[in-house]
Amino acid sequence: MNKMIAALLVTASAVAVSGGCGTTTAGTPVTVVREIVPPSTTTAVVAPPATSVVVVEPPVTVTRAPSLTSCQRHFAEGSSYTYAFDAWVNAGRPLSWDADRDGYPCEQSYGNRN
């Protein structure tokens, strides 16, 4: 803490009026020394608020390729119609293989066989 010292030259009559102490004779200059303490100051450091960056990826639409039906898969693999027909029978003749329900499967892949 810094202190400042001020010296004030006053007359004896002024000391008597201002409440000074000690004996003085009229007209004798008196030096009054008083310690002056400056007001204390506090320095505050204010930090800016923390910032954060959020990166948001744009939405992505995933479209699955349509899956192959059993008939399309057999045809794509190069299987014969006889092999596809036997596979249909072994699978329990599912209706999903015979679109027109005429008893001949895989007609859309292998053509009309009836």
Side-chain angles (χ1 to χ4, degrees), residues 19-105:
C21 58
T23 1
T24 59
T25 53
T28 307
V30 176
T31 302
V32 177
V33 178
R34 181 179 293 160
E35 186 176 311
I36 300 174
V37 179
S40 64
T41 59
T42 303
T43 304
V45 177
V46 179
T51 59
S52 60
V53 176
V54 177
V55 177
V56 179
E57 295 291 329
V60 176
T61 304
V62 177
T63 306
R64 292 180 179 243
S67 59
L68 298 177
T69 64
S70 297
C71 291
Q72 291 170 336
R73 190 173 57 254
H74 284 296
F75 184 77
E77 291 173 356
S79 302
S80 68
Y81 178 77
T82 305
Y83 182 85
F85 185 87
D86 291 341
W88 175 64
V89 171
N90 290 336
R93 300 178 187 251
L95 295 177
S96 61
W97 291 34
D98 187 8
D100 60 2
R101 312 283 194 255
D102 65 353
Y104 296 97

